[in-house]
Structures are given as C-alpha cells and as structure tokens.
C-alpha cells in the first residue's frame, strides 16, 4: 500500500533534532509524486505520496507549504515491488525528494546528524567492484574477478531498439565494456536493454517523456531483472587495484606513457604488488606492452635513471610522437618526460623564423627539433653520449639535420665554447641591423642554475644594444612556500645581480607534493655578459621584460617579483 508523507508534530519542534530522531534504515525504494488532496491535510497545502518503501524507523523531513516550515514524519509501510533492487533505495529517494518543491531533507542541509549511511559514491562503486576476496592478491589471477550482479532490464522488440535507445540515454546503463543491448535468452525476437541500476527500479522510475515514447512504440514499461556476470575484462584498472591493495592505501592508476612503455613511480606500500600492478597496466591500456618502475632519482651526470621491468617485454627501444614530431630513443639510457609536452610548445612559440636557439641540455631534441622546423638556427648540446646519438638520429628523422648543429659537451664548456663564438658573431659590429632574437634554453632543473655563472664576462666589449642581448630560459625546482621568489633568488645568487626589472617566472608543473618545476626567463644583463662592466647587485638598467602568461593558479607569484 502507498505511504502518506503527512504533517506531524516532530520531537523537538522548533529546536535542533537529535540524531536519534533522524535515524533512517532504508530497505526499499521510493518515488515521490504529487497527490490529490488527502483527508486530514490542511486546506490548500501540498501533500506527497512516497510509494513502495520499507522503514525500520521513521525519519523526518522539512516541509514548507506556503513558505511555512513543518516537520513531516514518514511512517512505515509494506513493499509492493520486487526486492531485487532494494539496496539502491536511498539513491532514488534522495533524487526524488531533492526535486520535490517544498520538501528539503534536513540531512542535506547538514543541520542535523543521522546514523552512518553508505555514501552513494561508495555504494555505486561496490556494485561494479571486483569480489572482496581478491584483497591482498600479489600474483594476478584473472579468474578470481568473476562476479554476478543484478541489473534492471527492459524487454523490447529487436526492430525498435535503435529508435528507442535515442530516447533512453538517461535511463540506459552507462558502463564501459558492458553492452547496453543484449539478446533475450527466452525470445529470439526481443532484446533486453540494460538500465542504470542507480536510477531505474520500477516503471515509475521512467520520466514522463520516456513513458510517452514507450507508449508510442507499444513497449511495456515493466522492468525485469537480469543476472549479469562480470569478469576481469569488465573492471577498470583503478577498480582492480583498489580491490587488491590494502584498504585505505593509495592506488596507482596513472603513469607516464613513453611509446609502448608505461613508466610508473610506485610508492613503498605498493611494491609488494608491483608485478600485478604492471600487468594490470598492460592489460588495461591498448598499445602498452611493457611496464617499468623507476628505482632511483634522476641525479646522475647523464640524467637517466635505473628502472625495473615489472611486466611485459624488456625492450626499451621506443618511438613517441609529440606535437607532430617523431622521436626514437632507448628509454633506459636517455631522459624523456611526456609531461613536458606543453612546455616544449610554449618555448617553441616564443621564437620566430630566423631566430637563434642555444639548447644547453638538449636531450633527444624536444626543444631543438620543433624550433629548427620554424626555420631557426639551432645549436643543441648534451653531455650524455646516448642522448647525443639519438639527437643526431632524430634531427635526420624529422629532416632538420641541416639546421641543427649538435654537440657532445659539458654545459659549461658548451657555453664558453660554441655559444661564446656564435655570440661574438651575433652581437658584433654587424648586429646593428639585426632583427632576429637569440634564446638560450637550460632545461636541467636540478642543476641548471649552477651553470648561469658561465655567462659572467663571457664577451669582451659591448657592441650592440642591450635589447639584442640573449634571452635565457632556465629551469629549476623549488620546495619553497613562494617558489617563484625562491627561483629568482637562486638565479640572482648565481649571477651576482638583481633580476627584479628584467625577469619573469613561469610555473611548469607540480613534480611532487610541495615541489614545483619552474622556468625563469630573463635577458642576460650587459653587466654580467661583458668584461669590465660595473655590476650593481641592487639594480641595473636593462629594459624590463614583458610579463608572460602563466598558469592561473600561479599568477600571483609568477612575475616581476618585488
């Protein structure tokens, strides 16, 4: 029988209700529908019927007829529909009551406390979560992930399925890897449409427009239940790992993709499960055939790191595409970070055809190659012999080998050798009519600032305007509370001069909790670049640098630090 939600004098009327007064144990489901006038209701007031509910206790809701607050008590009633979908009642009840004019759940307003309830998001994940007995698994057993769940279905004639699905987008099941339409095991002429188990419980769960379409197509809106078997293939990687790893611990579902390689950075508590995690990453990501874990920091001379193959093939020779350019290399012997793609593009866009780039720590060419493609002259250097080899290879691969001069030198030697020699030409007597710019990129965040001292007294005498002096883009890490100011101060200490009037700082990315990667951009002061110049640590007269756009969240710290 239907349940009447009627005005009642609640405990503590006019005061805060206790948690006990709001206790609710929902075992059924509910739809809210406006009803005709009910005997006993106040004249002109709005009454509501909540059907198909089972309650072990009453609960209270706030009722506002004509703007006046009242407490309504929901009495118990008997279940009139299938009990197969009972556990999802609270979801439906909340959705319906929240849309009902004049009715406000006190719990939603957070003005009263209730008994602990399973949150909707938790309950949703439980339905499509792997079986609980996979917890603690360290060797992947795919057969252990079988599970049967009950799903609401709608039986329809097969010839109208396509037309009907367009009208049932809201009600249909939205779950990757699970077909929304399946064959009816009892009738070859009909199909079963899988419905969303969090929205659809009985025919009353359909919206009015949906019911109209069903009526037009002569479809019975009665909802049936279907036992759906889920297997390992139906679960997402995050769901699998969350079910396997100890409860409450962080789950690794993300990784850096380098061609066919998934590069993970596992935490200590995940290491007992590392081989399982690696295999799941391969299974759930098409094109990934190898999963590796970094086992030390990038702190050596050549900027590569030791890695362990967790699962899959041990082939580290890979090919990647970034910003429409192709790079090939041995990932175990060079540095490559796919998270820097946006930064590579940002610097590339700063240069114009005819400009000159000196790439001090070039790696395999992610700055040098796209900039060379813009008809710029590029001098690219890397100390790592493997990076040097693959840099030459990638220049040929991208057909810019005639525009890039490649070196295999220490950064300081590169600056004081090839860079100095070219700057003498670029900034010499013939530079007065020069319109192109000179840029120097120093992407070695852990140590690049230490190399800034190599620019001190690099040239003999100033023969050009300060506006033609090179622009430096130097990368660094910071753990400071004010990372932009910290990086500027690091650069100033290395150069021995203030950069207040001629620098900007760009946030590149968050590397780890409380660790940022930044890029400070400045024009080399003449007082630093030339010999016999007076250095004023407090200030100098170089023209100010235009402010650059940076990440919005970083905008207050990014530029013109005072």
């Amino acid at each position: 029988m239907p349940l009447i939600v009627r005005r009642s004098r609640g405990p503590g009327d006019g005061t805060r209700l206790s948690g006990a007064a709001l206790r609710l144990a929902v075992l059924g489901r509910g739809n809210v529908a406006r009803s005709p006038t009910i005997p006993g209701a106040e004249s002109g007031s709005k009454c509501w019927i909540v059907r198909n509910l089972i309650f072990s206790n009453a609960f209270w809701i706030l009722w506002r007829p004509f703007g006046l607050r009242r407490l309504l008590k929901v009495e118990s009633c008997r279940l009139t529909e299938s009990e197969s979908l009972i556990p999802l009642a609270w979801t439906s009840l909340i959705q319906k009551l929240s849309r009902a004019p004049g009715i406000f759940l006190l719990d939603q307003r957070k003005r009263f406390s209730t008994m602990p309830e399973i949150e909707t998001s938790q309950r949703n994940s439980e339905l499509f979560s792997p079986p609980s007995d996979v917890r603690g698994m360290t060797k992947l057993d795919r057969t252990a992930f079988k599970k049967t769940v009950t799903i609401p279905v709608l039986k329809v004639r097969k010839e109208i399925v396509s037309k009907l699905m367009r009208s049932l987008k809201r009600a249909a099941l939205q779950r990757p890897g699970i077909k929304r339409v399946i064959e009816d095991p009892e009738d070859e002429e009909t199909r079963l449409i899988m419905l969303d188990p969090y929205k659809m419980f009985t025919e009353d769960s359909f919206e009015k427009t949906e019911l109209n379409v069903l009526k037009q197509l002569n479809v019975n809106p009665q909802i049936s239940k279907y036992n759906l078997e889920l297997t390992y293939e139906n679960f997402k990687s995050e769901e699998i790992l969350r079910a396997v790893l100890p409860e409450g611990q962080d789950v690794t579902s993300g990784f850096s993709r380098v061609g066919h390689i998934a590069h993970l950075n596992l935490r200590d508590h995940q290491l007992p499960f590392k081989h399982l995690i690696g295999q799941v990453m391969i299974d759930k990501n098409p094109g990934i055939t190898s999963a590796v874990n970094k086992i030390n920091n990038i702190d050596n001379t050549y900027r590569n790191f030791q890695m362990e193959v967790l699962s899959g093939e041990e082939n580290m020779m890979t090919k990647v595409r970034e910003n429409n350019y192709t790079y090939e290399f041995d990932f175990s012997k060079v540095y490559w970070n796919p998270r820097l793609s946006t930064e590579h593009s940002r610097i590339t866009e700063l240069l114009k055809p005819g400009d000159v780039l000196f790439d001090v720590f070039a790696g395999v060419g992610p700055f040098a190659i796209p900039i060379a493609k813009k008809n710029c002259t590029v001098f690219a250097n890397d100390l790592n012999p493997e990076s040097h080899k693959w840099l030459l290879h990638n220049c040929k691969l991208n057909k810019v080998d005639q525009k890039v001069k490649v070196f295999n030198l220490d950064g300081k030697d590169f600056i004081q050798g090839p860079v100095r020699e070219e700057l003498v030409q670029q900034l010499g007597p013939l530079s007065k009519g020069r319109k192109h710019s000179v840029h120097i990129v120093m992407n070695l965040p852990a140590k690049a600032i230490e190399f800034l001292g190599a620019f001190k007294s690099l040239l003999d005498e100033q023969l050009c305007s300060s506006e033609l002096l090179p622009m430096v883009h130097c990368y660094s890490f910071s753990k400071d509370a004010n990372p932009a100011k910290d990086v500027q101060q690091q650069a100033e200490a290395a150069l021995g001069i203030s950069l207040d009037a001629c620098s900007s700082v760009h946030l590149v990315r968050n590397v780890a909790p409380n660790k940022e990667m930044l890029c400070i951009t400045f024009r080399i002061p003449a007082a630093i670049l030339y010999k016999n110049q007076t250095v004023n640590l407090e200030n100098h007269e170089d023209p100010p640098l235009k402010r650059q756009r940076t990440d919005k969240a970083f905008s207050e710290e990014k530029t013109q630090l005072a």
Side-chain angles (χ1 to χ4, degrees):
M1 73 181 194
L3 170 79
I4 304 300
V5 180
R6 65 173 182 269
R7 185 169 67 86
S8 174
R9 185 175 182 180
D13 209 0
T15 64
R16 291 180 67 88
L17 296 180
S18 67
L22 289 167
R23 292 184 122 195
L24 169 65
V26 183
L27 300 177
R29 61 160 294 278
N31 286 321
V32 180
R34 193 172 299 182
S35 77
T37 302
I38 296 174
E42 291 181 285
S43 175
S45 66
K46 296 176 181 178
C47 294
W48 300 85
I49 295 179
V50 182
R51 301 183 181 89
N52 311 326
L53 291 169
I54 286 183
F55 293 100
S56 60
N57 288 303
F59 77 106
W60 299 84
I61 61 176
L62 191 63
W63 182 54
R64 299 182 65 180
F66 306 111
L68 300 176
R69 300 190 178 202
R70 295 288 187 272
L71 288 173
L72 303 183
K73 187 174 182 180
V74 180
E75 309 288 356
S76 62
C77 73
R78 302 186 66 83
L79 185 71
T80 61
E81 301 291 343
S82 168
E83 299 182 13
S84 61
L85 303 173
I86 281 174
L88 303 171
W90 183 239
T91 305
S92 176
L93 185 59
I94 289 294
Q95 290 173 345
K96 295 294 185 178
L97 287 181
S98 63
R99 291 199 296 264
I103 291 188
F104 301 86
L105 292 179
L106 296 180
D107 182 51
Q108 286 184 306
R109 292 279 184 108
K110 297 183 179 179
R111 299 175 67 178
F112 305 98
S113 61
T114 64
M115 67 177 291
E117 290 287 334
I118 300 175
E119 294 294 335
T120 301
S121 60
Q122 292 176 326
R123 182 167 50 253
N124 290 357
S125 64
E126 286 176 2
L127 183 65
F128 289 107
S129 291
S132 58
D133 55 5
V134 301
R135 178 82 63 194
M137 178 186 294
T138 56
K139 184 177 180 180
L140 184 61
D141 178 7
R142 297 177 181 85
T143 62
F145 288 83
K146 290 184 179 180
K147 176 182 179 179
T148 301
V149 296
T150 301
I151 300 294
V153 293
L154 182 67
K155 189 171 184 176
V156 302
R157 302 187 310 279
K158 64 180 183 180
E159 62 268 17
I160 65 170
V161 168
S162 297
K163 186 175 182 180
L164 183 59
M165 288 300 293
R166 290 193 291 268
S167 301
L168 293 182
K169 290 182 179 180
R170 181 199 70 88
L173 176 66
Q174 304 289 338
R175 174 74 186 182
I178 298 179
K179 293 181 179 180
R180 290 187 289 178
V181 180
I182 59 174
E183 294 183 359
D184 186 348
E186 300 176 355
D187 188 349
E188 294 182 356
E189 299 301 315
T190 61
R191 296 291 182 265
L192 300 179
I193 296 178
M194 298 275 195
L195 301 178
D196 190 330
Y198 310 126
K199 299 176 183 176
M200 310 305 295
F201 307 98
T202 68
E203 60 185 72
D204 292 334
S205 301
F206 287 107
E207 292 185 346
K208 185 176 180 180
T209 54
E210 295 167 339
L211 287 172
N212 289 338
V213 172
L214 295 178
K215 185 176 181 180
Q216 292 172 8
L217 296 175
N218 195 28
V219 176
N220 185 345
Q222 181 179 358
I223 292 178
S224 305
K225 58 183 179 179
Y226 178 81
N227 291 329
L228 175 67
E229 183 178 78
L230 301 177
T231 65
Y232 174 82
E233 285 69 28
N234 298 124
F235 298 112
K236 304 173 187 176
S237 58
E238 183 177 355
E239 293 168 339
I240 292 172
L241 298 182
R242 193 174 300 282
V244 169
L245 268 61
E247 210 163 356
Q249 292 190 353
D250 292 336
V251 173
T252 297
S253 58
F255 56 87
S256 296
R257 181 165 187 162
V258 184
H260 67 281
I261 303 166
H263 172 211
L264 297 92
N265 190 6
L266 299 182
R267 299 184 180 181
D268 290 342
H269 72 271
Q270 297 164 340
L271 293 179
F273 307 90
K274 60 185 180 181
H275 297 298
L276 181 146
I277 293 173
Q279 188 58 56
V280 170
M281 293 297 108
I282 292 174
D283 290 346
K284 297 299 179 179
N285 296 278
I288 294 293
T289 59
S290 181
V292 302
N293 181 43
K294 182 175 71 174
I295 57 178
N296 72 335
N297 294 324
I298 304 175
D299 56 3
N300 59 21
T301 304
Y302 293 153
R303 268 205 309 176
N304 54 7
F305 54 84
Q306 292 181 334
M307 63 180 69
E308 176 187 14
V309 177
L310 303 178
S311 188
E313 60 185 65
E314 297 191 7
N315 175 27
M316 294 294 105
M317 293 292 300
T318 189
K319 177 190 290 189
V320 301
R321 288 279 293 176
E322 180 185 273
N323 302 325
N324 297 318
Y325 300 99
T326 301
Y327 303 89
E328 295 178 343
F329 48 84
D330 185 336
F331 184 53
S332 66
K333 296 179 179 179
V334 303
Y335 176 79
W336 180 267
N337 190 339
R339 292 188 174 96
L340 294 179
S341 173
T342 301
E343 183 62 13
H344 297 152
S345 293
R346 184 183 75 88
I347 295 297
T348 300
E349 291 172 1
L350 297 178
L351 280 81
K352 299 177 181 178
D355 286 351
V356 177
L357 171 71
F358 297 99
D359 193 349
V360 184
F361 312 105
V364 298
F367 284 116
I369 289 171
I371 289 175
K373 274 287 188 179
K374 296 184 72 172
N375 289 321
C376 297
T377 301
V378 177
F379 297 79
N381 173 73
D382 203 281
L383 178 61
N384 183 350
E386 284 290 323
S387 295
H388 176 260
K389 180 181 77 173
W390 291 108
L391 175 57
L392 286 168
H393 173 82
N394 290 323
C395 286
K396 292 180 181 179
L397 185 64
N398 291 278
K399 300 179 181 180
V400 294
D401 50 305
Q402 299 301 312
K403 299 176 183 178
V404 182
K405 296 181 181 180
V406 179
F407 301 85
N408 181 209
L409 300 170
D410 177 77
K412 182 178 180 181
D413 295 336
F414 177 64
I415 293 171
Q416 296 181 341
V419 175
R420 179 184 179 279
E421 293 172 6
E422 186 63 25
L423 287 181
V424 169
Q425 302 296 320
Q426 294 289 333
L427 307 179
L430 299 179
S431 65
K432 292 184 179 180
R434 177 170 66 83
K435 296 182 179 180
H436 62 266
S437 300
V438 178
H439 294 258
I440 302 173
V441 171
M442 304 175 69
N443 182 22
L444 185 64
K447 296 182 178 181
I449 283 182
E450 298 175 12
F451 288 82
L452 291 178
F455 291 108
K456 291 183 178 179
S457 302
L458 188 65
L459 304 180
D460 292 331
E461 58 179 323
Q462 184 172 355
L463 298 174
C464 71
S465 167
S466 294
E467 294 181 357
L468 298 178
L469 296 180
M471 295 289 296
V472 173
H473 311 278
C474 184
Y475 292 83
S476 182
F477 294 128
S478 177
K479 295 182 178 180
D480 195 83
N482 189 337
K485 184 176 181 180
D486 175 50
V487 169
Q488 180 182 320
Q489 289 175 344
Q490 290 182 47
E492 290 174 339
L495 292 169
I497 195 170
S498 172
L499 297 175
D500 276 349
C502 66
S503 69
S504 67
V505 179
H506 174 82
L507 175 65
V508 178
R509 71 186 189 97
N510 176 258
V511 178
N514 302 316
K515 184 178 181 181
E516 312 290 348
M517 178 180 175
L518 307 100
C519 175
I520 181 168
T521 294
F522 61 92
R523 194 180 302 279
I524 301 179
I528 292 297
L529 190 61
Y530 293 100
K531 296 178 181 178
N532 303 319
Q533 294 275 344
T534 302
V535 177
N536 181 354
L537 184 60
E538 296 300 321
N539 208 344
H540 61 86
E541 300 302 323
D542 283 338
L545 187 67
K546 291 183 179 180
R547 303 180 75 178
Q548 298 183 22
R549 291 182 62 190
T550 65
D551 187 271
K552 186 175 181 181
F554 192 63
S555 60
E556 295 182 358
E557 301 176 337
K558 62 173 183 174
T559 59
Q560 308 291 355
L561 296 170

